[in-house]
Amino acid sequence: MSAGEITEQEARVHPKKNILTRAVGTDQPIDIDVAMVSCEPGEQLLLCTDGLTNKLSDEDIQAIILSAETLHEAGEKLIAKANARGGEDNISLVLISEDTGGEASC
């Protein structure tokens, strides 16, 4: 961790964890990150805001996704569970599965 990196556990409680470094919709142009991600059959990709991860552990998220019959149901259950635990922040997510031919739910 010589580059100033912190552990996942330290990141969860870091006092500056909610500071935005870039925002869409501001007056200034922004730099965006682009990455290629490949998924194998059966894998799913979740993109979400901290409104979800501040309320649900990785284990909670995985259990909800694996128990749902559809991506849409998983997304609804994740948001409902985070809201049931307080949901003070905006909760946004995109859940994609290779099995569905690129179907996305949000």
Side-chain angles (χ1 to χ4, degrees):
M1 290 192 207
S2 61
E5 296 174 2
I6 59 176
T7 67
E8 184 176 334
Q9 184 58 31
E10 290 169 330
R12 287 190 179 275
V13 296
H14 195 279
K16 295 184 179 181
K17 72 177 184 168
N18 293 329
I19 293 177
L20 295 177
T21 57
R22 293 183 221 161
V24 175
T26 62
D27 293 334
Q28 302 293 323
I30 61 167
D31 294 324
I32 60 170
D33 294 320
V34 177
M36 296 294 291
V37 178
S38 59
C39 293
E40 298 295 324
E43 291 184 326
Q44 297 172 326
L45 176 65
L46 172 66
L47 305 174
C48 65
T49 60
D50 63 350
L52 184 74
T53 57
N54 283 343
K55 296 298 177 184
L56 302 179
S57 69
D58 293 347
E59 294 78 17
D60 291 333
I61 292 169
Q62 182 179 26
I64 290 169
I65 291 171
L66 292 176
S67 70
E69 292 187 27
T70 66
L71 293 179
H72 185 79
E73 178 187 335
E76 287 183 343
K77 285 183 173 184
L78 288 167
I79 292 169
K81 185 73 158 185
N83 279 329
R85 292 188 178 171
E88 303 89 9
D89 201 354
N90 295 327
I91 304 167
S92 301
L93 66 90
V94 176
L95 182 57
I96 301 167
S97 174
E98 179 64 23
D99 290 345
T100 60
E103 176 191 342
S105 179
C106 54

